[in-house]
Amino acid sequence: RSAVNALDEQLQRIAPEVRSYLWHGAGRATYFSPLNFIPGRKAPIRAVKMCLEEAPHEMGQLNMLAGLGWAINLVNMKHLEIAQSFLFYHRNEPHILDAFANGVASSIVLREDITPNFAIKFIYTESQLANDELAILWQTFVQTPSQQAIEIYQPKLAKEQQLEKVFCIQNLQELTNF
């Protein structure tokens, strides 16, 4: 049993509302695991496997996957082929893609708040894609969530001083309907 699982059990007793933040952070940390720094196409695949094996419940798994998507996105904004490879490899796993998209959108909310007017719109709309299937995946799980993060979620969450809410997986559309 890992330290994260032990902490999850303790949080379940004393502060269950913060457990999702723990798992999201664990997902971000998974990206930086030494095993996942080994170059090659399998690195993000290993990270996904780690997320699914580490968390003992669906809430933890989804938050870890979203945290992983967050890290992949922020670290590789200038290397879009990393995210594209991730999308293509997991193209038949909608729960992984949905969590990844949430991580992308959440990371864009924070990035837009920290560095307003960064060329995020250009980065995510001018990507060269290898094929039509990848173009659809990109639009669905990266481009659209990024645009919504910039145009809708970040302004509303910043105005309401609720940016910390992006540090765990949740429906950002519902979260910003105040």
Side-chain angles (χ1 to χ4, degrees):
R1 188 177 84 156
S2 74
V4 177
N5 281 291
L7 186 53
D8 177 66
E9 289 176 11
Q10 293 301 315
L11 288 174
Q12 177 61 33
R13 288 183 322 128
I14 60 173
E17 68 280 1
V18 299
R19 290 172 59 221
S20 56
Y21 294 94
L22 167 74
W23 289 107
H24 199 277
R28 292 190 307 273
T30 299
Y31 180 77
F32 298 101
S33 167
L35 286 175
N36 297 322
F37 271 115
I38 299 169
R41 295 171 49 119
K42 296 222 182 252
I45 297 163
R46 283 191 297 266
V48 168
K49 186 176 181 199
M50 289 171 75
C51 290
L52 295 173
E53 290 175 353
E54 175 69 21
H57 42 68
E58 183 180 29
M59 181 275 293
Q61 291 173 346
L62 293 175
N63 272 286
M64 282 190 79
L65 290 166
L68 176 63
W70 171 297
I72 288 172
N73 188 53
L74 282 181
V75 170
N76 299 294
M77 282 184 166
K78 293 185 177 182
H79 305 284
L80 301 180
E81 63 276 1
I82 305 294
Q84 292 170 3
S85 175
F86 182 93
L87 290 172
F88 195 74
Y89 185 82
H90 296 287
R91 66 190 177 278
N92 296 318
E93 299 170 282
H95 65 290
I96 291 174
L97 294 176
D98 287 341
F100 178 82
N102 185 275
V104 167
S106 295
S107 69
I108 295 295
V109 166
L110 190 64
R111 178 67 191 250
E112 186 68 11
D113 191 67
I114 293 170
T115 53
N117 303 313
F118 181 74
I120 292 175
K121 285 186 182 181
F122 176 77
I123 289 171
Y124 291 105
T125 57
E126 301 301 321
S127 175
Q128 297 295 319
L129 302 168
N131 61 53
D132 290 342
E133 183 179 16
L134 187 54
I136 292 168
L137 289 167
W138 188 260
Q139 181 180 13
T140 304
F141 298 104
V142 176
Q143 185 178 10
T144 298
S146 295
Q147 288 173 330
Q148 291 171 333
I150 292 167
E151 296 169 5
I152 302 168
Y153 310 143
Q154 189 280 333
K156 286 185 175 184
L157 292 171
K159 181 180 178 187
E160 296 296 321
Q161 298 181 344
Q162 293 188 14
L163 287 169
E164 75 281 355
K165 303 264 179 152
V166 300
F167 287 96
C168 66
I169 194 170
Q170 53 188 308
N171 185 316
L172 294 172
Q173 181 76 38
E174 289 177 10
L175 181 63
T176 56
N177 282 336
F178 2 88

